[in-house]
Amino acid sequence: MSNKPKRVMMIDDNEIDLKINSKLINITNLFEDIIICNSAEAGLEYLRKHLQDQQQLPEFILLDIQMPDMDGFDFLEEFKRFPKSFTDTCPVAMLSSTLDFGDIQKAEANPYVIKLLKKPLLPTDLEKLI
């Protein structure tokens, strides 16, 4: 990406992962702002609510695969319905605690996903994406 994104959205149902990854992101200074959502539904709701306000939208999304009710792939099904002007400028990296071959293939096949990362997130992995 040419310009460093200012806002990252983290979507994960695991509070511990959210805390760890927030600290990690703060340490790396890769983003100025972190939007935390504890479910895929909450992430979609946030995006819908702020769609007309560019200043509130994330420029990068870290998305957990395995969540109850709506998983990361379900989120992406809804994400693709957002305006192309937004989805084209907001890449998604998926996170998984187990790198299941099926998930890897599914993530790599999704046009919105730039990478599937293993949890816990490593600063070097994140830096390579930005």
Side-chain angles (χ1 to χ4, degrees):
M1 285 189 276
S2 53
N3 291 339
K4 182 176 132 181
K6 290 178 174 54
R7 279 172 306 283
V8 62
M9 173 182 272
M10 288 193 316
I11 302 173
D12 199 323
D13 63 311
N14 185 317
E15 289 295 322
I16 294 167
D17 286 342
L18 285 172
K19 282 190 170 95
I20 291 169
N21 290 337
S22 293
K23 284 194 185 307
L24 184 132
I25 287 169
N26 283 328
I27 290 166
T28 63
N29 283 322
L30 290 174
F31 302 98
E32 293 172 12
D33 231 354
I34 303 171
I35 303 160
I36 294 175
C37 299
N38 58 11
S39 71
E41 295 92 335
L44 290 168
E45 188 178 311
Y46 180 95
L47 295 176
R48 286 185 191 109
K49 182 178 174 187
H50 296 93
L51 204 51
Q52 302 309 316
D53 185 0
Q54 195 68 31
Q55 299 302 314
Q56 298 295 316
L57 288 174
E59 292 147 315
F60 196 82
I61 296 175
L62 291 168
L63 175 64
D64 186 28
I65 289 180
Q66 296 168 337
M67 294 180 280
D69 301 325
M70 178 183 261
D71 69 15
F73 294 112
D74 295 333
F75 172 90
L76 289 169
E77 278 302 305
E78 295 296 317
F79 183 76
K80 73 180 184 186
R81 293 184 174 95
F82 285 101
K84 199 166 168 37
S85 58
F86 170 62
T87 59
D88 283 354
T89 58
C90 186
V92 177
M94 295 190 92
L95 303 174
S96 180
S97 45
T98 59
L99 288 184
D100 173 271
F101 186 68
D103 285 346
I104 294 170
Q105 284 187 309
K106 203 170 173 183
E108 287 177 351
N110 192 296
Y112 302 104
V113 178
I114 59 167
K115 188 88 172 144
L116 175 60
L117 301 173
K118 187 159 174 45
K119 287 187 196 178
L121 198 53
L122 298 173
T124 51
D125 290 342
L126 199 53
E127 286 164 2
K128 286 178 197 169
L129 299 179
I130 307 303

